[in-house]
Amino acid sequence: MPTPADRPFVAAPAGPVELTGLAAVAAAERWGLPSPVLLRAGMTAIYTAGDSVLRVAAPTAPAETAIELAGVLTAAGVRVPRARRPDVVRVGELSVTAWERLEPAAAPVDWRTVGAMVRRVHALAPADVPPGYPLPVAASFPWWQFDELLERVGDELDDAARGGIESAVAAHSWWRDSPAPAVVCHGDVHPGNVMATSAGTVLLDWDLLATAPAAWDHAMLVRVERWGGEPDWYDEFAHGYGASWRADRLTIAIAELRLVAATLMRLLAARTDPAAAGEARHRLAYWRGDADAPTWNAV
């Protein structure tokens, strides 16, 4: 089982919206903000409150380190949301931080800029990350422990879907022994974590910062069409990054295993969240080899 040192900044869902909502209200009152409105619930619950965005999470490290990390990234030329407040509001196990509310732009995401920013992240040294902010090995994430996850969701898999998933895990298991050097990675580069704003394209959600081969941050975009994206998004990203790894064996392996992890985690979520059940069914169709399997949503 993963140890605390193996866990990213956010390793578990924030909890039911009843609790995250109370924490968001407490923070809004402390900071004199309007009543918060839930934008999205997940590993981190996101609320809007006037000109601020409140992030409610149960982090594995002091939430102040996330504010410090934003400063490091900005200094490195990576465009990220700015903190609205230097302090943190704590309610039980939950921590609330306040960030600027970004204005979306009509223009599309500039994927070349995203690639250039990810290249700057990969150029950081681990010592550049603020002390106390987790920097685990990405392969140690709980959702990459496939044997354990398959055991937990086994009763919810039909034979065809299980066969497809197990074949993918077996075919690509070699990646853990790859000699590719590890770098500092964003950890979760996908279209849902990128936003075109009036100030330019911004890279969001640094909760899964980790060390991994650079392929880790290319992998999801290499398979972006599975998530409803356009293949040329990766081509633009690669242009900005300075290299295309579309045909790289390690990138392809990680990309397929990221799909495994995403599927198994959605099956687990469906146990307590009925809204996740439909997405879980969509994902299983892919593993059955359905030629008409629907695209997925990065929820």
Side-chain angles (χ1 to χ4, degrees), residues 122-177:
H122 291 178
L124 293 172
D128 295 329
V129 176
Y133 196 94
L135 193 61
V137 175
S140 69
F141 289 171
W143 43 92
W144 275 67
Q145 312 314 310
F146 299 127
D147 289 345
E148 296 174 19
L149 289 179
L150 281 166
E151 185 174 345
R152 292 175 65 184
V153 303
D155 293 342
E156 297 158 56
L157 290 170
D158 57 84
D159 290 344
R162 174 184 279 277
I165 290 172
E166 290 181 341
S167 293
V169 171
H172 301 297
S173 61
W174 59 268
W175 88 271
R176 292 178 183 268
D177 299 320

Side-chain angles (χ1 to χ4, degrees), residues 112-135:
R112 291 194 183 193
T113 293
V114 177
M117 290 194 293
V118 169
R119 186 62 177 253
R120 295 184 188 114
V121 174
H122 291 178
L124 293 172
D128 295 329
V129 176
Y133 196 94
L135 193 61

Side-chain angles (χ1 to χ4, degrees), residues 111-112 115 218 233-246:
W111 287 102
R112 291 194 183 193
H218 288 250
W233 291 358
Y234 178 71
D235 296 332
E236 290 294 302
F237 173 92
H239 187 282
Y241 186 85
S244 174
W245 290 354
R246 183 181 291 282

Side-chain angles (χ1 to χ4, degrees), residues 11-297:
V17 293
E18 293 81 6
L19 293 181
T20 61
L22 290 175
V25 167
E29 291 177 348
R30 170 95 56 94
W31 292 326
L33 298 173
S35 296
V37 177
L38 180 65
L39 182 62
R40 184 173 72 250
M43 299 288 277
T44 296
I46 311 295
Y47 294 80
T48 57
D51 63 357
S52 298
V53 169
L54 306 183
R55 293 178 60 85
V56 184
T60 61
E64 288 86 351
T65 59
I67 299 171
E68 297 173 25
L69 177 65
V72 169
L73 294 169
T74 299
V78 181
R79 189 177 291 119
V80 300
R82 294 173 295 180
R84 283 286 190 201
R85 299 282 310 187
D87 53 329
V88 174
V89 173
R90 292 181 174 81
V91 179
E93 297 297 318
L94 298 176
S95 295
V96 187
T97 50
W99 304 85
E100 66 175 323
R101 187 172 180 178
L102 301 169
E103 292 296 330
V109 166
D110 181 349
W111 287 102
R112 291 194 183 193
T113 293
V114 177
M117 290 194 293
V118 169
R119 186 62 177 253
R120 295 184 188 114
V121 174
H122 291 178
L124 293 172
D128 295 329
V129 176
Y133 196 94
L135 193 61
V137 175
S140 69
F141 289 171
W143 43 92
W144 275 67
Q145 312 314 310
F146 299 127
D147 289 345
E148 296 174 19
L149 289 179
L150 281 166
E151 185 174 345
R152 292 175 65 184
V153 303
D155 293 342
E156 297 158 56
L157 290 170
D158 57 84
D159 290 344
R162 174 184 279 277
I165 290 172
E166 290 181 341
S167 293
V169 171
H172 301 297
S173 61
W174 59 268
W175 88 271
R176 292 178 183 268
D177 299 320
S178 167
V183 298
V184 175
C185 287
H186 172 279
D188 201 21
V189 178
H190 65 74
N193 281 337
V194 179
M195 182 177 179
T197 77
S198 55
T201 297
V202 178
L203 191 51
L204 307 170
D205 193 354
W206 296 82
D207 292 343
L208 300 184
L209 194 77
T211 59
W216 191 271
D217 280 343
H218 288 250
M220 198 162 179
L221 294 178
V222 163
R223 295 298 307 275
V224 73
E225 72 280 358
R226 175 89 318 257
W227 302 91
E230 299 295 331
D232 65 348
W233 291 358
Y234 178 71
D235 296 332
E236 290 294 302
F237 173 92
H239 187 282
Y241 186 85
S244 174
W245 290 354
R246 183 181 291 282
D248 174 67
R249 182 170 177 249
L250 178 60
T251 304
I252 292 168
I254 294 174
E256 190 73 356
L257 293 175
R258 289 198 71 142
L259 296 180
V260 171
T263 300
L264 298 179
M265 291 302 290
R266 191 50 32 187
L267 283 171
L268 285 176
R271 291 180 173 179
T272 56
D273 179 7
E279 181 64 23
R281 287 193 295 272
H282 285 171
R283 297 182 184 185
L284 289 178
Y286 170 80
W287 296 108
R288 296 187 191 105
D290 184 349
D292 298 319
T295 56
W296 303 356
N297 292 314

